[in-house]
mmCIF file of all heavy atoms in Angstrom:
data_model
loop_
_atom_site.group_PDB
_atom_site.id
_atom_site.type_symbol
_atom_site.label_atom_id
_atom_site.label_comp_id
_atom_site.label_asym_id
_atom_site.label_seq_id
_atom_site.Cartn_x
_atom_site.Cartn_y
_atom_site.Cartn_z
ATOM 1 N N THR A 115 -48.752 45.523 -3.202
ATOM 2 C CA THR A 115 -49.068 45.263 -4.607
ATOM 3 C C THR A 115 -49.693 43.869 -4.786
ATOM 4 O O THR A 115 -49.257 42.906 -4.154
ATOM 5 C CB THR A 115 -47.801 45.296 -5.486
ATOM 6 O OG1 THR A 115 -47.113 46.576 -5.252
ATOM 7 C CG2 THR A 115 -47.999 45.064 -6.930
ATOM 8 N N ALA A 116 -50.773 43.797 -5.474
ATOM 9 C CA ALA A 116 -51.350 42.476 -5.797
ATOM 10 C C ALA A 116 -51.086 42.186 -7.302
ATOM 11 O O ALA A 116 -51.258 43.150 -8.076
ATOM 12 C CB ALA A 116 -52.884 42.540 -5.582
ATOM 13 N N ARG A 117 -50.705 40.978 -7.536
ATOM 14 C CA ARG A 117 -50.396 40.581 -8.939
ATOM 15 C C ARG A 117 -51.455 39.450 -9.285
ATOM 16 O O ARG A 117 -51.568 38.540 -8.544
ATOM 17 C CB ARG A 117 -48.932 40.162 -9.150
ATOM 18 C CG ARG A 117 -48.694 39.810 -10.585
ATOM 19 C CD ARG A 117 -47.212 39.383 -10.869
ATOM 20 N NE ARG A 117 -47.148 38.690 -12.083
ATOM 21 C CZ ARG A 117 -46.583 39.148 -13.216
ATOM 22 N NH1 ARG A 117 -45.964 40.275 -13.173
ATOM 23 N NH2 ARG A 117 -46.581 38.461 -14.296
ATOM 24 N N GLY A 118 -52.074 39.627 -10.395
ATOM 25 C CA GLY A 118 -52.917 38.523 -10.902
ATOM 26 C C GLY A 118 -52.258 37.934 -12.134
ATOM 27 O O GLY A 118 -51.771 38.642 -13.036
ATOM 28 N N ASP A 119 -52.163 36.646 -12.167
ATOM 29 C CA ASP A 119 -51.621 35.897 -13.321
ATOM 30 C C ASP A 119 -52.757 34.871 -13.852
ATOM 31 O O ASP A 119 -53.174 34.067 -13.078
ATOM 32 C CB ASP A 119 -50.393 35.061 -12.975
ATOM 33 C CG ASP A 119 -49.158 36.018 -12.837
ATOM 34 O OD1 ASP A 119 -48.722 36.444 -13.998
ATOM 35 O OD2 ASP A 119 -48.742 36.316 -11.806
ATOM 36 N N LEU A 120 -53.039 35.016 -15.111
ATOM 37 C CA LEU A 120 -54.055 34.105 -15.691
ATOM 38 C C LEU A 120 -53.562 32.645 -15.622
ATOM 39 O O LEU A 120 -52.436 32.434 -16.117
ATOM 40 C CB LEU A 120 -54.338 34.622 -17.066
ATOM 41 C CG LEU A 120 -55.513 33.886 -17.730
ATOM 42 C CD1 LEU A 120 -56.774 34.013 -17.045
ATOM 43 C CD2 LEU A 120 -55.613 34.268 -19.217
ATOM 44 N N ILE A 121 -54.329 31.760 -15.089
ATOM 45 C CA ILE A 121 -54.025 30.367 -15.160
ATOM 46 C C ILE A 121 -54.654 29.759 -16.428
ATOM 47 O O ILE A 121 -53.999 29.004 -17.142
ATOM 48 C CB ILE A 121 -54.495 29.650 -13.872
ATOM 49 C CG1 ILE A 121 -53.711 30.199 -12.681
ATOM 50 C CG2 ILE A 121 -54.262 28.160 -13.989
ATOM 51 C CD1 ILE A 121 -54.228 29.626 -11.351
ATOM 52 N N SER A 122 -55.899 30.046 -16.604
ATOM 53 C CA SER A 122 -56.577 29.513 -17.855
ATOM 54 C C SER A 122 -57.840 30.266 -18.030
ATOM 55 O O SER A 122 -58.379 30.860 -17.114
ATOM 56 C CB SER A 122 -56.926 27.966 -17.613
ATOM 57 O OG SER A 122 -58.074 27.905 -16.771
ATOM 58 N N SER A 123 -58.235 30.267 -19.295
ATOM 59 C CA SER A 123 -59.481 31.002 -19.642
ATOM 60 C C SER A 123 -60.001 30.406 -20.917
ATOM 61 O O SER A 123 -59.257 29.921 -21.806
ATOM 62 C CB SER A 123 -59.315 32.550 -19.791
ATOM 63 O OG SER A 123 -58.657 32.789 -20.960
ATOM 64 N N ASN A 124 -61.306 30.467 -21.136
ATOM 65 C CA ASN A 124 -61.924 30.218 -22.455
ATOM 66 C C ASN A 124 -63.062 31.223 -22.594
ATOM 67 O O ASN A 124 -63.179 32.241 -21.812
ATOM 68 C CB ASN A 124 -62.423 28.761 -22.499
ATOM 69 C CG ASN A 124 -63.295 28.330 -21.361
ATOM 70 O OD1 ASN A 124 -64.100 29.197 -20.897
ATOM 71 N ND2 ASN A 124 -63.252 27.119 -20.857
ATOM 72 N N HIS A 125 -64.059 30.960 -23.414
ATOM 73 C CA HIS A 125 -65.051 31.920 -23.663
ATOM 74 C C HIS A 125 -66.120 31.922 -22.520
ATOM 75 O O HIS A 125 -67.025 32.805 -22.533
ATOM 76 C CB HIS A 125 -65.780 31.744 -25.034
ATOM 77 C CG HIS A 125 -66.435 30.382 -25.104
ATOM 78 N ND1 HIS A 125 -65.782 29.171 -25.210
ATOM 79 C CD2 HIS A 125 -67.810 30.114 -25.126
ATOM 80 C CE1 HIS A 125 -66.693 28.207 -25.245
ATOM 81 N NE2 HIS A 125 -67.902 28.756 -25.172
ATOM 82 N N ARG A 126 -65.963 31.027 -21.566
ATOM 83 C CA ARG A 126 -66.967 30.933 -20.531
ATOM 84 C C ARG A 126 -66.418 31.379 -19.169
ATOM 85 O O ARG A 126 -67.103 32.073 -18.391
ATOM 86 C CB ARG A 126 -67.527 29.498 -20.433
ATOM 87 C CG ARG A 126 -68.174 29.063 -21.753
ATOM 88 C CD ARG A 126 -68.768 27.690 -21.619
ATOM 89 N NE ARG A 126 -69.940 27.721 -20.822
ATOM 90 C CZ ARG A 126 -70.581 26.681 -20.279
ATOM 91 N NH1 ARG A 126 -70.080 25.465 -20.535
ATOM 92 N NH2 ARG A 126 -71.656 26.786 -19.598
ATOM 93 N N THR A 127 -65.255 30.970 -18.830
ATOM 94 C CA THR A 127 -64.706 31.203 -17.440
ATOM 95 C C THR A 127 -63.203 31.492 -17.559
ATOM 96 O O THR A 127 -62.502 31.093 -18.531
ATOM 97 C CB THR A 127 -64.880 30.099 -16.418
ATOM 98 O OG1 THR A 127 -63.927 29.020 -16.688
ATOM 99 C CG2 THR A 127 -66.311 29.571 -16.361
ATOM 100 N N GLY A 128 -62.673 32.137 -16.481
ATOM 101 C CA GLY A 128 -61.240 32.345 -16.392
ATOM 102 C C GLY A 128 -60.859 32.145 -14.911
ATOM 103 O O GLY A 128 -61.635 32.334 -13.994
ATOM 104 N N LEU A 129 -59.610 31.703 -14.741
ATOM 105 C CA LEU A 129 -59.076 31.417 -13.464
ATOM 106 C C LEU A 129 -57.741 32.111 -13.274
ATOM 107 O O LEU A 129 -56.879 31.973 -14.097
ATOM 108 C CB LEU A 129 -58.916 29.913 -13.186
ATOM 109 C CG LEU A 129 -58.321 29.510 -11.880
ATOM 110 C CD1 LEU A 129 -59.238 29.765 -10.707
ATOM 111 C CD2 LEU A 129 -57.978 28.064 -11.845
ATOM 112 N N SER A 130 -57.548 32.929 -12.230
ATOM 113 C CA SER A 130 -56.332 33.672 -11.958
ATOM 114 C C SER A 130 -55.696 33.332 -10.655
ATOM 115 O O SER A 130 -56.418 33.134 -9.660
ATOM 116 C CB SER A 130 -56.574 35.162 -12.068
ATOM 117 O OG SER A 130 -57.193 35.490 -13.246
ATOM 118 N N ARG A 131 -54.399 33.400 -10.678
ATOM 119 C CA ARG A 131 -53.600 33.228 -9.403
ATOM 120 C C ARG A 131 -53.324 34.688 -8.888
ATOM 121 O O ARG A 131 -53.051 35.621 -9.631
ATOM 122 C CB ARG A 131 -52.315 32.559 -9.746
ATOM 123 C CG ARG A 131 -51.429 32.299 -8.521
ATOM 124 C CD ARG A 131 -50.155 31.598 -8.903
ATOM 125 N NE ARG A 131 -50.342 30.276 -9.595
ATOM 126 C CZ ARG A 131 -50.132 29.950 -10.815
ATOM 127 N NH1 ARG A 131 -49.585 30.893 -11.610
ATOM 128 N NH2 ARG A 131 -50.355 28.756 -11.309
ATOM 129 N N ILE A 132 -53.420 34.792 -7.527
ATOM 130 C CA ILE A 132 -53.224 36.122 -6.954
ATOM 131 C C ILE A 132 -51.984 36.016 -5.942
ATOM 132 O O ILE A 132 -51.857 35.016 -5.242
ATOM 133 C CB ILE A 132 -54.441 36.543 -6.065
ATOM 134 C CG1 ILE A 132 -55.711 36.620 -6.967
ATOM 135 C CG2 ILE A 132 -54.149 37.819 -5.358
ATOM 136 C CD1 ILE A 132 -56.992 36.593 -6.162
ATOM 137 N N ARG A 133 -51.157 36.993 -6.032
ATOM 138 C CA ARG A 133 -50.095 37.105 -4.994
ATOM 139 C C ARG A 133 -50.072 38.570 -4.485
ATOM 140 O O ARG A 133 -50.041 39.511 -5.361
ATOM 141 C CB ARG A 133 -48.743 36.748 -5.604
ATOM 142 C CG ARG A 133 -47.618 36.898 -4.651
ATOM 143 C CD ARG A 133 -46.246 36.569 -5.219
ATOM 144 N NE ARG A 133 -45.205 36.934 -4.344
ATOM 145 C CZ ARG A 133 -44.228 37.790 -4.495
ATOM 146 N NH1 ARG A 133 -44.076 38.335 -5.718
ATOM 147 N NH2 ARG A 133 -43.386 38.086 -3.562
ATOM 148 N N ILE A 134 -50.176 38.749 -3.180
ATOM 149 C CA ILE A 134 -50.106 40.107 -2.659
ATOM 150 C C ILE A 134 -48.840 40.193 -1.841
ATOM 151 O O ILE A 134 -48.466 39.348 -0.958
ATOM 152 C CB ILE A 134 -51.311 40.342 -1.653
ATOM 153 C CG1 ILE A 134 -52.575 40.026 -2.464
ATOM 154 C CG2 ILE A 134 -51.351 41.834 -1.314
ATOM 155 C CD1 ILE A 134 -53.890 40.340 -1.497
ATOM 156 N N HIS A 135 -48.104 41.250 -2.080
ATOM 157 C CA HIS A 135 -46.778 41.357 -1.414
ATOM 158 C C HIS A 135 -46.528 42.877 -0.973
ATOM 159 O O HIS A 135 -47.155 43.754 -1.564
ATOM 160 C CB HIS A 135 -45.603 40.897 -2.250
ATOM 161 C CG HIS A 135 -45.375 41.601 -3.540
ATOM 162 N ND1 HIS A 135 -44.593 42.743 -3.624
ATOM 163 C CD2 HIS A 135 -45.890 41.333 -4.753
ATOM 164 C CE1 HIS A 135 -44.623 43.201 -4.881
ATOM 165 N NE2 HIS A 135 -45.307 42.387 -5.587
ATOM 166 N N GLY A 136 -45.655 43.070 -0.071
ATOM 167 C CA GLY A 136 -45.309 44.414 0.403
ATOM 168 C C GLY A 136 -43.977 44.796 -0.208
ATOM 169 O O GLY A 136 -43.580 44.172 -1.200
#
Side-chain angles (χ1 to χ4, degrees):
T115 302
R117 180 177 165 114
D119 280 287
L120 185 63
I121 296 172
S122 75
S123 74
N124 56 35
H125 64 288
R126 303 183 71 194
T127 75
L129 177 67
S130 303
R131 182 180 298 114
I132 299 164
R133 177 181 171 237
I134 309 179
H135 63 89

